[in-house]
Amino acid sequence: MSIRFTAKARRGVVALTVAAGLAVGVAGCGGGGDDDKKPETSASASKDGGSGPSTQEGQSDTPLAELKGPNGLLLQVTSVGRDSGGFVTVGGSLKNDSDKVLTIPAQLSGNETEIIRNGRSFGGATLVDSKGKKRYYVLRDTDGRPLTTTGISTVKAGETIPVFMQFPAPPAGTSEVSLQLPMFAPADLTISG
C-alpha cells in the first residue's frame, strides 16, 4: 500500500512541477524592460535528478507565515495546499537575511538514516495537527528520498531560494496545522483546498 501511495505522490510531484514550469514560462512572456530583471538564484538538486527547488502553483506574494531560523535564515511560507493525491504541499522560499553566506544546518534533514543518506533536504520538517493529536512527517519516494527541496548546502547573503515540502494529508475536516522545522520557530498554517 505504501508503494502505491508514494507512486501516486511522485506522479503528483511531477504534475505539479510541470504545471509550475508552464506557469513560470507564461509569466516570463510579458514585459521586457530593465525594471523586469531580477537576480537569478539557483540550487542544485540531488545528484540523480531528485526534487529541486520549484515554484508552487497558487503561491501568494504575501507570506502566509514566516519561520525564523538560526543566523538570519527565514522560511516564508506562501502556499499550503491539499492535493487530490492525498498529500499536502507546503511551498515558499528560504531567505538569507544576513550579510554573509550561511551554511544550511544539517538538522533540517532530520535524524532518520534513510533521509540523511540522500543528502541535504528539509526532511526534518513535520506538520502537527494538535486537535487530532497527530504528527505528519515528510513523504518519501520508493528509494527513500524525501519529497522536499534537496541539495541546498549554502545560501548567499540576501539570496532567496524557492522550496517545497510534501506531507500526508490530515483528514478532510482538518485545516489548521503547525509547521515545525528543526532550529526554526514553528508557525500555524491553514490548509487550502
Side-chain angles (χ1 to χ4, degrees):
M1 179 165 164
S2 66
I3 292 175
R4 181 179 298 157
F5 180 74
T6 55
K8 284 183 180 180
R10 182 181 281 178
R11 283 193 300 271
V13 171
V14 170
L16 187 60
T17 302
V18 169
L22 289 173
V24 171
V26 169
C29 291
D34 287 338
D35 294 337
D36 292 340
K37 291 183 181 175
K38 294 181 182 171
E40 291 184 26
T41 60
S42 65
S44 60
S46 64
K47 60 186 169 229
D48 50 306
S51 323
S54 65
T55 56
Q56 299 295 311
E57 193 173 282
Q59 283 187 335
S60 71
D61 292 334
T62 306
L64 302 173
E66 292 186 341
L67 289 78
K68 293 186 179 188
N71 305 317
L73 283 175
L74 179 67
L75 177 65
Q76 296 178 321
V77 176
T78 54
S79 67
V80 184
R82 187 183 300 270
D83 299 308
S84 61
F87 52 91
V88 169
T89 301
V90 176
S93 58
L94 182 66
K95 183 177 182 185
N96 178 350
D97 267 349
S98 77
D99 58 354
K100 59 186 175 185
V101 175
L102 295 177
T103 300
I104 301 299
Q107 290 90 331
L108 291 183
S109 296
N111 59 7
E112 294 181 43
T113 306
E114 186 175 30
I115 290 180
I116 293 171
R117 185 175 39 228
N118 287 291
R120 300 260 176 151
S121 71
F122 290 83
T126 57
L127 280 184
V128 177
D129 169 12
S130 56
K131 194 174 185 180
K133 298 181 181 172
K134 291 194 176 186
R135 178 180 302 268
Y136 298 91
Y137 294 89
V138 168
L139 290 169
R140 290 173 220 145
D141 66 15
T142 54
D143 294 324
R145 291 185 301 256
L147 297 181
T148 71
T149 302
T150 59
I152 302 172
S153 57
T154 60
V155 184
K156 298 174 190 167
E159 182 177 26
T160 300
I161 299 172
V163 297
F164 79 95
M165 294 158 262
Q166 289 188 320
F167 303 90
T174 301
S175 61
E176 303 298 319
V177 292
S178 174
L179 176 63
Q180 297 182 355
L181 195 60
M183 302 185 71
F184 282 71
D188 293 330
L189 303 173
T190 301
I191 301 171
S192 63

